[in-house]
Amino acid sequence: PLRADRELVLEAVRHGGMALQYAAGPLKADREFVLEAVRLQGKALHGAADPLRADRELVLEAVRQYGQALSFAAGPWKADRELV
């Protein structure tokens, strides 16, 4: 299916960061794929699988791209001084 096509999903993310939420589950749970997506658009963190939204490196990268991405983070990162 198209939602599982890595290149197509990355292109969609490039044009609109929130597009990751429509990707197939395995892509949203693939750490390397999500890292690439948040490097393109920090908003992509919104569509990542829950465990990845708690991954400090991914959250930090997303916040570098889009400061408000912190609101999509899971876990204690919202209070992390380096991120805030």
Side-chain angles (χ1 to χ4, degrees), residues 5-71:
D5 183 307
R6 296 175 76 86
E7 293 306 313
L8 180 66
V9 172
L10 280 179
E11 188 62 28
V13 167
R14 188 174 284 114
H15 293 284
M18 302 297 270
L20 184 61
Q21 67 185 321
Y22 302 109
L27 284 183
K28 295 192 292 187
D30 181 321
R31 188 180 186 285
E32 293 306 313
F33 180 79
V34 172
L35 180 59
E36 191 171 350
V38 299
R39 284 180 174 153
L40 291 172
Q41 291 272 356
K43 290 180 183 180
L45 186 64
H46 174 68
D50 287 346
L52 295 181
R53 291 188 308 111
D55 181 303
R56 188 173 191 284
E57 181 185 2
L58 290 176
V59 171
L60 185 58
E61 188 62 37
V63 169
R64 282 186 188 131
Q65 293 297 322
Y66 178 69
Q68 294 178 357
L70 190 57
S71 67

